[in-house]
């Protein structure tokens, strides 16, 4: 919690001390000076900075994240509206990355430094090295436009009024490309963790014993080695949350996905200070919680570690 | 505690070839950066030919919308982009190593305080912060460097601290302390050489991330129009995806090749280093 | 090719692209792409372009502008102006109902102006508030605007973009900026609101009771697609039918494609007839020297700007007032031509010499130490940084070092208009349909100040101020024309700005649809085949 407060304090100062005036963005063209004065007063922007800061933190403490200048609604409700889309995108990407990375990692670990290992490691690293927006646009061009398999943009078919299972399927169809591109950025880390974890694990005594007893390779992999080897992979996920959200900003713009990454960008352009601060608060809070959860999960899974 | 992001843990030691590939890639990039003025066919900001001309003997990577030579842009972009990555790497390791060593060696209150700071900076959403800073203060290479360095050092500090914690219990350290070696001597001649390999690996990975972040900032329109960087070039290519493929392709390739090269080298390095503390996934 | 894949995927039917399933679906909605989520749909409380694009279908103004941008009846079926030009009387249609069934009354008009437009609509507030005395409603269907002095441009400022009429019964209480009707709007327009999914799309359905008759396109969806390149891809993939803008390089490509229609418009009302203009900061000693301003103007190859920044869509400006305002646009003015030799000699005379270096340095310039390099900042919003890239390259040829500073709109406005911390800045001055709307602010000394897109240069000239005042209250068209000609001659002589190019807006849409208008009601008059 102090961490989150520290972050919001940094954000508050950065936003308020930087040049630029939210009212200028709000009013647009052809306003007059009296109009700006009037709007500044409405939003309390004519008060001193410490005064504004105290009011802001008092309100946050009471659970009120403020009203957006541009939308005229509470920032909390705006974020809640958009959060599910981002959760769906990042969640599916993560899940996809984990699901794909396990067999890839296992394949690579079977014969370390063999040709499978080298090709898999090389491929995932190459994916990681390409900028995400570049991959995304390439995917749109090739898979959505040229082949026509999947939609180019959005989360649902425009104007679609279906509900229930048909709607879920429609969303799924729109989700595939963005989730794949976002997942490709996570693959490198996960494949390598799985792989190295498995190599270490397969070299252990109890595995050798099992092997000597004639247990098949597949059974050893699935029953004995996998659970322990996945530990680092599972726990690294928590630390990736910040990166994942950053990746989502870019992917949401490329694919027109209606999540909070885009909300951030527009509130930045509009200089919608309350919304910007609320987003900062929510994102950093998520990162802190994810880190905490990771530590807990890690401690629970690994008896060697005790929490301080 | 888990390491940040792309601290990709140890590589296959078929890594020797991979490492060599990495060295070649980075070597080419460094040569391009050093000799940009001699290699470039034109000043990257000058009108060098017709607008939106495809690759040809005159302009081997084609020209952009206003007629500037893309090859020259990519070459000079290499300079700026590498400069950004190296500066961030240097700043982050200076902060990270110093803070990590102090926290690890002295422990107690200093350790608590510094680790709290580290936590704070580690969870700062890097990309958001960079975007906010640029949108509010205007684009510029300097603020990209500051924000990325500010959010990158915690990883290094944690790794260095862990190394020092293990190291300071060892006999030869205790011995040199007993023999009255100065703190400065200890830090410089004992601790630093020990943590250096791990730090180098992490910095290599970090520089790759910096390049990708800079490119993403360019993509969302926050690149600096006065500085030829790969991110700026990639951002400018946006509107021309269908009519001038070369504008997106070459800067994209330059970024990918460099990030790949840095990662390959870091991997090769990490498999040489005997079980460096930072390179396992967990502390 | 595509067909075959459709068959292949028929097992997993849900995966099949809409391209495969389309034939089966009846009456697909008409989908228009927009770049920004507007946030709300109340066009009376903001001039934000994304709100106006999204909310335009829902409302009406007292008058409408036809394709020639002349006022024609809308909510007002006729009007009279008294001979002094200070009293306008509008007679409202009696058959107009709000989307919730209530009838429209004169009180709605008075309320909208007094409580919404004159407070929150910055453009209408800035132009009408200083001259409007009061609004009266003699009966339920008559509205009168009474001015303090003759006001010629009113009819150009009452359309749906400048003055949309809102329902009093919903806005009477509470804070209008937080009214629930802002996101669940009720208007009188050709389409009524159906739903709004944040960040994704806004749906509208044809208004059966619309006073001009029900529109042919039954359903309109505004789809939020932030990336302009992806908008084009979505159009090509058949996911959207209409784009409000097309990135330059894609225009020619779409035009070749038989599936699409590409048209150009000079824009509509306040956002029409725009000229991309470079303003010199006349507070800076460097730019007080007319020779420096002239030299820079002569260094700019505007034909190349048209070709390489606008991709040929638009025209080189041949006068300070847009050719779209025919009565005010002056022909045959001596605009500075592209002439680097002339630019070089002007700079030499002004003391900026080329001493064997890439960039000129000062030699005996008043108040400037000798040897100072001729470095000029060029401040632009990100969308206009391309002008900077080209001008930087052009000015290098005469030894001027131009540095481009790209700033987000809010920061741009503050740096240029409040702090006045800039050397040169590029602005798209939309002239509108009358010089009173969009030209006056650029030149009169009263509009120097912390107001975005006002008098960027900080240009002061009493003769100019007087000429604008006379032109505003002159009711005779011929007199206005000659006054505006004089204004433009002075502007060209003093060169506080470089008028680069007149820009056009591009619309691209599916060729199965025809009959779109240029107003925010664009889809109301259109038809779509299959």
């Amino acid at each position: 919690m102090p961490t989150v407060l520290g972050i919001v304090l940094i954000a508050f100062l950065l936003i308020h001390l930087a040049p630029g005036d939210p009212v200028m963005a709000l009013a647009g063209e052809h306003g007059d000076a009296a109009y700006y004065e009037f709007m500044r007063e409405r939003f309390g922007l004519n008060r001193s900075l410490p005064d504004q800061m105290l009011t802001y933190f008092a309100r946050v403490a009471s659970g009120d994240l403020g009203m957006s200048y541009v939308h005229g609604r509470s920032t909390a409700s705006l974020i809640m509206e958009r959060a599910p889309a981002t959760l769906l995108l990042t969640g599916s990407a993560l899940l996809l990355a984990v699901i794909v990375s396990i067999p890839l990692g296992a394949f690579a670990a079977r014969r370390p430094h063999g040709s499978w290992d080298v090709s898999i490691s090389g491929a995932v690293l190459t994916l990681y090295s390409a900028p995400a927006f570049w991959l995304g646009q390439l995917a749109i061009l090739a898979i959505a436009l040229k082949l026509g398999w999947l939609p180019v943009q959005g989360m649902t078919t425009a104007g679609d009024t279906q509900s229930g299972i048909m709607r879920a399927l429609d969303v799924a169809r729109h989700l595939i490309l963005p989730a794949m591109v976002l997942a490709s950025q996570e693959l490198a880390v996960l494949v390598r963790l799985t792989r190295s974890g498995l190599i270490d694990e397969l070299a252990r005594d109890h595995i050798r014993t099992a092997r000597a007893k004639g247990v098949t390779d597949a059974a050893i992999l699935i029953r004995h080695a996998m659970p322990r080897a996945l530990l680092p992979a599972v726990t690294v996920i928590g630390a990736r949350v910040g990166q994942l959200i950053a990746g989502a900003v870019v992917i949401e713009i490329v694919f027109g996905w209606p999540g909070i990454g885009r909300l951030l960008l527009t509130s930045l352009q509009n200089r919608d200070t309350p919304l910007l601060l609320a987003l900062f608060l929510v994102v950093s809070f998520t990162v802190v919680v994810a880190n905490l959860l990771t530590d807990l999960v890690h401690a629970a899974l690994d008896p060697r570690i005790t929490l301080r | 505690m888990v390491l940040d992001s792309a601290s990709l843990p140890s590589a296959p030691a078929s890594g020797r070839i991979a490492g060599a590939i990495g060295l070649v890639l980075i070597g080419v990039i460094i040569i391009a950066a050093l000799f940009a003025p001699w290699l470039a066919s034109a000043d990257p900001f000058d009108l060098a030919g017709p607008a939106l001309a495809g690759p040809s003997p005159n302009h081997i990577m084609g020209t952009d919308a206003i007629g500037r030579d893309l090859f020259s842009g990519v070459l000079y972009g290499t300079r700026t982009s590498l400069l950004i990555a190296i500066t961030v790497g240097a700043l982050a390791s200076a902060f990270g190593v110093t803070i990590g060593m102090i926290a690890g060696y002295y422990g107690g209150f200093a350790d608590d305080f510094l680790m709290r700071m580290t936590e704070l900076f580690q969870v700062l959403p890097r990309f958001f912060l960079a975007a906010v800073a640029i949108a509010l203060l205007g684009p510029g290479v300097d603020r990209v460097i500051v924000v990325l360095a500010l959010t990158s050092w915690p990883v290094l500090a944690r790794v260095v601290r862990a190394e020092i914690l293990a190291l300071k219990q060892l006999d030869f350290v205790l011995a040199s302390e007993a023999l009255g070696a100065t703190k400065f001597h200890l830090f410089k001649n004992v601790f630093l050489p020990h943590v250096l390999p791990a730090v180098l690996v992490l910095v290599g990975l970090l520089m790759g991330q910096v390049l990708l972040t800079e490119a993403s900032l360019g993509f969302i329109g926050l690149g600096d129009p006065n500085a030829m960087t790969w991110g700026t070039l990639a951002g400018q290519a946006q509107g021309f995806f269908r009519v001038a493929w070369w504008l997106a392709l070459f800067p994209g390739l330059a970024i990918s090749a460099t990030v790949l090269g840095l990662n390959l080298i870091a991997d090769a390095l990490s498999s040489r280093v005997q079980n460096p503390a930072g390179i396992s996934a967990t502390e | 090719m595509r067909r075959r894949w459709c068959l292949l995927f028929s097992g997993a039917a849900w995966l099949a692209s809409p391209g495969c399933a389309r034939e089966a679906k009846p009456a697909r909605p008409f989908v228009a792409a927009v770049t920004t989520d507007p946030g709300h749909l109340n066009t009376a409380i903001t001039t934000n372009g994304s709100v106006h694009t999204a909310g335009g279908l829902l409302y009406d103004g007292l008058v409408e502008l036809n394709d020639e941008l002349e006022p024609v009846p809308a909510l007002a079926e006729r009007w009279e102006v008294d001979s002094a030009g200070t009293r306008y009387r509008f007679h409202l249609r009696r058959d107009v109902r709000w989307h919730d069934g209530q009838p429209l009354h004169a009180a709605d008009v008075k309320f909208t102006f007094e409580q919404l437009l004159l407070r929150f609509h910055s453009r209408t507030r800035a132009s009408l508030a200083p001259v409007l005395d009061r609004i009266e409603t003699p009966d339920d269907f008559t509205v009168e605007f009474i001015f303090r002095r003759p006001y010629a441009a009113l009819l150009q400022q009452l359309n749906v973009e400048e003055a949309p009429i809102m329902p009093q019964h919903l806005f009477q209480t509470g804070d209008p900026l937080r009214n629930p009707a802002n996101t669940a709007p009720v208007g009188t327009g050709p389409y009524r609101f159906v739903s709004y999914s944040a960040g994704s799309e806004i749906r509208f359905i044809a208004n059966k009771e619309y006073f001009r008759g029900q529109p042919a396109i039954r359903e309109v969806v505004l789809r939020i697609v932030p990336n302009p390149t992806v908008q084009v891809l979505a159009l090509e993939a058949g996911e959207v039918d209409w784009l409000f803008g097309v990135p330059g390089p894609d225009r020619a490509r779409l035009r070749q494609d038989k599936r699409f229609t590409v048209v150009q418009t000079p824009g509509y009302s306040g956002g029409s007839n725009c000229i991309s203009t470079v303003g010199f900061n006349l507070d800076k000693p460097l730019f007080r020297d007319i020779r420096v301003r002239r030299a820079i103007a002569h260094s700019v190859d505007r034909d190349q700007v048209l070709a390489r920044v606008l991709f040929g869509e638009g025209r080189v400006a041949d006068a300070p007032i847009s050719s779209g305002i025919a009565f005010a646009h002056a022909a045959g003015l001596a605009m500075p031509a592209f002439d680097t030799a002339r630019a070089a000699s002007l700079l030499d005379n002004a003391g900026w010499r080329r001493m064997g270096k890439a960039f000129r340095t000062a030699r005996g310039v008043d108040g400037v130490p000798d040897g100072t390099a001729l470095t000029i900042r060029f401040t632009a919003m990100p969308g206009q940084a391309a002008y900077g890239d080209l001008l930087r390259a052009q000015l290098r040829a005469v030894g001027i070092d131009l540095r481009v500073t790209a700033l987000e709109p809010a920061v741009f406005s503050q740096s240029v208009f409040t702090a006045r911390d800039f050397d040169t800045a590029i602005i798209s001055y939309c002239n509108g349909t009358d010089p009173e709307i969009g030209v006056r602010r650029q030149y009169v000394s009263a509009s120097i100040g912390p107001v975005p897109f006002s008098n960027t240069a900080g240009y002061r000239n009493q003769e100019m101020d007087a000429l604008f005042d006379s032109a505003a209250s002159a009711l005779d068209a011929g007199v206005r024309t000659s006054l505006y000609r004089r204004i433009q001659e002075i502007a060209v002589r003093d060169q506080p700005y470089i008028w680069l190019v007149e820009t056009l807006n591009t619309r691209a849409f599916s060729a199965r649809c025809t009959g779109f208008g240029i107003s925010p009601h664009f889809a109301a008059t259109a038809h779509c085949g299959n």
Side-chain angles (χ1 to χ4, degrees):
Chain A
M1 213 52 216
T3 322
V4 174
L5 276 182
I7 290 171
V8 175
L9 185 68
I10 293 174
F12 187 92
L13 290 175
L14 177 67
I15 291 170
H16 281 268
L17 293 178
D21 185 336
V23 172
M24 292 273 183
L26 262 177
E29 226 169 310
H30 311 256
D32 62 0
Y35 177 75
Y36 296 117
E37 218 28 70
F38 165 71
M39 292 302 269
R40 271 192 200 103
E41 210 176 291
R42 280 193 72 98
F43 295 128
L45 290 165
N46 50 353
R47 291 180 295 133
S48 76
L49 187 62
D51 189 12
Q52 288 186 50
M53 196 156 86
L54 277 180
T55 328
Y56 181 75
F57 278 91
R59 268 195 300 132
V60 170
S62 70
D64 173 11
L65 294 183
M67 297 290 263
S68 152
Y69 294 157
V70 175
H71 299 256
R73 294 165 51 204
S74 91
T75 53
S77 73
L78 285 163
I79 294 174
M80 287 311 288
E81 242 170 36
R82 302 289 198 95
T86 299
L87 272 179
L88 180 64
L89 176 64
T90 48
S92 328
L94 208 50
L95 196 66
L96 191 65
V98 170
I99 291 174
V100 174
S101 68
I102 291 173
L104 286 183
F107 246 114
R110 270 173 47 149
R111 275 206 318 118
H113 319 311
S115 55
W116 274 107
D117 184 13
V118 172
S119 347
I120 288 173
S121 303
V124 294
L125 194 56
T126 308
L127 277 181
Y128 168 82
S129 304
F133 58 87
W134 208 54
L135 283 181
Q137 289 184 320
L138 226 56
I140 291 181
L141 208 57
I143 298 171
L145 192 69
K146 287 268 165 9
L147 297 173
W149 291 355
L150 291 167
V152 168
Q153 48 74 45
M155 189 162 125
T156 52
T157 302
D160 196 54
T161 48
Q162 286 166 327
S163 56
I165 186 79
M166 289 313 286
R167 186 180 170 79
L169 290 177
D170 188 40
V171 171
R173 216 165 58 83
H174 284 79
L175 178 63
I176 296 174
L177 273 190
M180 264 173 32
V181 175
L182 192 54
S184 74
Q185 306 290 298
E186 303 302 311
L187 265 189
V189 182
L190 291 176
V191 165
R192 294 161 140 248
L193 283 169
T194 315
R195 174 190 170 278
S196 56
L198 273 176
I199 291 176
D200 288 352
E201 205 59 33
L202 288 172
R204 279 172 188 271
D205 287 346
H206 69 275
I207 304 270
R208 290 211 193 116
T209 320
R211 205 168 257 163
K213 282 187 196 156
V215 183
T216 62
D217 275 7
I220 287 176
L221 208 59
I222 292 165
R223 202 166 321 139
H224 296 274
M226 204 63 105
R228 287 296 295 277
L230 283 183
L231 184 70
V234 171
T235 50
V236 83
I237 289 169
R240 294 287 300 174
V241 166
Q243 286 286 314
L244 209 57
I245 296 175
V249 177
V250 170
I251 297 295
E252 283 176 10
I253 292 166
V254 173
F255 289 93
W257 192 264
I260 54 173
R262 271 173 49 200
L263 191 62
L264 177 107
L265 209 63
T266 45
S267 58
L268 204 56
Q269 282 153 354
N270 292 326
R271 225 166 203 284
D272 194 342
T273 318
L275 187 51
L276 214 51
L277 284 172
L279 280 163
F280 245 102
L281 196 85
V282 170
V283 170
S284 47
F285 189 70
T286 314
V287 174
V288 170
V289 168
N291 278 330
L292 209 67
L293 278 180
T294 308
D295 287 355
L296 290 175
V297 170
H298 198 202
L301 289 180
D302 189 341
R304 286 170 301 183
I305 290 185
T306 50
L307 284 180
R308 260 197 296 179
Chain B
M1 186 60 211
V2 179
L3 277 181
D4 180 43
S5 60
S7 36
L8 305 172
S10 74
S14 53
R16 197 158 296 169
I17 303 168
I21 296 176
L23 277 178
V24 170
L25 286 174
I26 298 302
V28 170
I29 294 290
I30 288 175
I31 289 172
L34 287 179
F35 297 102
W38 291 274
L39 294 170
S41 50
D43 184 299
F45 289 111
D46 267 344
L47 299 183
L52 291 178
S56 67
N58 280 340
H59 305 285
I60 58 175
M61 290 185 183
T63 61
D64 73 0
I66 65 170
R68 296 177 296 190
D69 182 56
L70 182 61
F71 178 59
S72 313
V74 170
L75 279 175
Y76 278 91
T78 310
R79 278 192 160 185
T80 331
S81 291
L82 277 195
L83 188 76
I84 295 174
I86 290 171
T87 316
V88 171
L91 284 176
S93 37
F95 275 126
V97 170
T98 313
I99 289 175
M101 289 208 291
I102 292 174
Y105 182 75
Y106 291 100
F109 173 75
D111 187 23
D112 275 350
F113 175 75
L114 289 175
M115 282 301 107
R116 269 288 118 77
M117 289 281 292
T118 312
E119 254 165 44
L120 172 65
F121 280 93
Q122 187 160 25
V123 296
L124 273 182
R126 168 188 300 169
F127 188 70
F128 278 21
L129 200 64
V132 171
I134 293 171
L136 300 189
L137 303 172
V141 166
D142 48 352
R143 48 219 68 165
V144 172
I145 290 175
V146 168
V147 171
L148 294 184
L150 219 55
T151 50
S152 300
W153 63 264
V155 186
L156 288 150
R158 285 173 169 280
V159 170
V160 170
R161 173 176 170 272
E163 288 263 293
I164 301 292
L165 280 180
L167 212 58
K168 74 176 178 185
Q169 307 301 331
L170 297 183
D171 288 345
F172 78 98
V173 175
L174 296 172
S176 60
E177 268 180 327
L179 288 171
T182 62
K183 293 273 187 317
F184 180 74
H185 171 86
L186 199 67
F187 276 59
K188 183 170 157 278
N189 294 337
V190 180
F191 291 163
L192 196 59
H194 255 88
V195 298
L196 206 57
V199 169
L200 279 181
V201 170
L202 286 174
V203 167
L205 299 171
L206 170 65
M207 281 166 55
Q209 277 185 298
V210 169
L211 291 173
L212 289 174
T213 307
E214 203 264 330
S216 291
L217 288 172
F219 167 76
I220 60 173
L222 296 174
D224 182 356
N226 286 316
M228 259 317 155
T229 74
W230 290 338
T232 310
L233 290 172
Q236 280 172 357
Q238 280 317 297
F240 305 92
F241 214 70
R242 298 299 301 285
V243 288
W245 51 268
W246 54 92
L247 289 180
L249 180 73
F250 294 113
L253 278 184
I255 296 169
S256 305
T258 312
V259 177
L260 186 63
L262 284 168
N263 275 282
L264 289 175
I265 292 177
D267 288 349
L269 206 63
S270 78
S271 54
R272 291 263 183 114
V273 181
Q274 282 288 310
N275 187 29
I279 315 307
S280 75
T282 53
E283 195 174 277
Chain C
M1 181 69 192
R2 177 176 291 201
R3 201 62 21 201
R4 186 141 43 93
W5 282 111
C6 292
L7 288 174
L8 229 153
F9 270 91
S10 58
W14 58 275
L15 259 176
S17 83
C20 308
R22 196 177 300 150
E23 289 91 312
K25 272 192 192 166
R28 205 162 65 89
F30 177 78
V31 184
V34 294
T35 34
T36 322
D37 186 341
H40 68 82
L41 297 168
N42 186 342
T43 56
I45 57 169
T46 180
T47 46
N48 180 308
S50 64
V51 177
H52 278 261
T53 306
L57 293 171
L58 295 165
Y59 311 105
D60 286 291
L62 288 175
V63 306
E64 202 49 69
L65 298 178
N66 65 12
D67 286 1
E68 281 71 49
L69 301 176
E70 298 152 351
V72 293
L75 292 179
E77 56 187 357
R78 62 200 162 80
W79 52 84
E80 298 110 37
V81 190
D82 73 350
S83 53
T86 54
R87 180 183 289 259
Y88 288 73
R89 179 184 294 138
F90 294 88
H91 302 278
L92 303 186
R93 296 180 69 110
R94 289 166 188 256
D95 57 351
V96 181
R97 287 186 177 272
W98 295 100
H99 295 154
D100 62 5
Q102 305 262 358
L104 169 90
H105 288 307
D108 290 312
V109 178
K110 181 176 160 73
F111 175 84
T112 303
F113 271 89
E114 289 174 350
Q115 298 304 317
L116 303 175
L117 294 167
L118 292 172
R119 292 174 71 199
F120 300 107
H121 191 290
S122 62
R123 215 151 51 208
T124 299
R125 173 179 170 138
S127 54
L128 292 190
V131 283
L132 185 65
D133 182 38
R134 62 188 190 277
I135 298 172
E136 287 178 354
T137 53
D139 64 57
D140 266 0
F141 296 98
T142 308
V143 187
E144 289 185 1
F145 290 74
I146 295 118
F147 288 89
R148 297 202 180 89
R149 56 177 174 78
Y151 190 72
L154 180 68
L155 289 172
Q156 297 288 345
Q157 295 174 309
L158 295 179
N159 61 74
V160 62
E161 202 163 278
E162 304 304 298
I165 303 303
M166 296 288 154
Q168 182 184 14
H169 60 278
L170 293 180
F171 283 91
Q172 219 152 15
T173 52
D175 180 353
L177 298 188
R178 297 176 183 184
N179 196 299
N182 293 342
T183 45
V186 170
T188 55
Y191 285 86
R192 27 161 102 229
F193 172 80
V194 176
S195 67
Y196 185 164
S197 28
S200 180
E201 61 187 35
I202 308 164
R203 296 173 51 216
F204 303 92
I205 196 150
N207 176 8
K208 285 199 180 101
E209 276 96 50
Y210 191 49
F211 58 84
R212 286 197 182 111
Q214 182 184 356
I217 297 177
R218 212 181 79 84
E219 234 189 308
V220 174
V221 175
L222 289 187
R223 179 81 164 174
I224 299 149
V225 185
N227 186 305
T229 309
V230 176
Q231 286 196 356
V232 177
L233 296 175
L235 179 75
E236 293 182 79
E239 289 174 28
V240 306
D241 305 294
W242 170 279
L243 304 184
F244 282 100
V246 180
D250 282 309
R251 277 178 222 144
R253 212 166 50 76
L254 288 183
R255 202 168 270 143
Q256 310 261 311
D257 194 326
K258 288 207 162 45
R259 294 176 296 161
F260 310 113
T261 310
V262 180
V263 296
Q264 242 102 48
T265 98
Y268 182 75
S269 78
S272 67
N273 297 323
C274 308
I275 302 180
S276 292
T277 307
V278 179
F280 295 107
N281 184 354
L282 299 178
D283 302 351
K284 304 265 172 178
L286 173 64
F287 298 117
R288 292 215 191 102
D289 187 339
I290 177 78
R291 289 171 297 186
V292 174
R293 306 203 295 271
R294 281 262 160 74
I296 295 174
H298 282 299
S299 314
V300 175
D301 180 354
R302 299 184 301 154
D303 290 314
Q304 200 177 47
V305 172
L306 180 64
R308 296 191 174 184
V309 178
L310 298 182
F311 301 91
E313 315 263 341
R315 54 178 285 191
V316 169
D318 59 358
I321 294 180
S322 166
S323 60
I325 312 179
F327 79 89
H329 173 79
L333 294 174
M335 299 281 274
F338 175 50
D339 183 348
T340 47
R342 174 121 180 77
S345 79
L346 279 166
L347 286 172
D348 286 341
N349 289 338
W352 295 97
R353 306 270 168 76
R354 213 163 191 166
M355 311 292 284
K357 290 195 198 125
F359 298 117
R360 289 172 185 271
T361 47
R363 185 85 184 277
V365 180
D366 256 3
V368 180
D370 278 3
T372 308
L374 186 49
T375 300
I376 296 172
R377 286 177 298 161
F378 180 88
T379 308
M381 288 189 269
Q384 285 166 330
Y387 286 101
D389 286 336
L390 183 57
L391 293 188
R392 169 173 48 205
Q394 290 180 351
L395 295 195
R396 282 165 83 90
V398 291
I400 300 171
D401 181 12
L402 195 72
R403 300 269 171 88
V404 183
T405 313
L407 298 176
E408 293 293 334
V411 187
F412 176 90
S413 295
Q414 212 220 2
S415 314
V416 173
F417 298 100
T418 309
R420 290 196 74 71
D421 175 22
F422 73 104
D423 295 341
T424 60
I426 182 152
I427 289 181
S428 171
Y429 273 111
C430 292
N431 287 188
T433 48
D434 189 289
E436 264 304 287
I437 297 174
V439 179
R440 163 190 274 269
R441 58 182 166 143
Q442 196 178 344
Y443 302 98
V444 299
S445 55
S447 68
I448 300 173
V451 173
F453 314 106
S454 50
N455 186 340
T456 311
Y459 175 67
R460 275 171 209 283
N461 181 338
Q462 287 182 344
E463 189 189 358
M464 197 68 129
D465 293 352
L467 282 167
F468 267 104
D469 283 344
S470 322
S473 43
L475 291 174
D476 179 75
V479 174
R480 290 190 85 197
T481 300
S482 60
L483 286 169
Y484 285 121
R485 179 167 189 94
R486 182 75 198 121
I487 282 171
Q488 289 168 88
E489 285 165 358
I490 296 173
V492 172
R493 182 196 72 200
D494 290 350
Q495 195 90 61
Y497 298 95
I498 305 174
W499 303 272
L500 295 175
V501 281
E502 295 185 1
T503 54
L504 291 170
N505 296 319
T506 306
R507 310 271 189 256
F509 49 94
S510 164
R512 70 189 177 94
C513 301
T514 51
F516 295 98
I518 62 163
S519 85
H521 287 169
F522 70 105
T525 49
H527 298 263
C528 288
N530 271 314

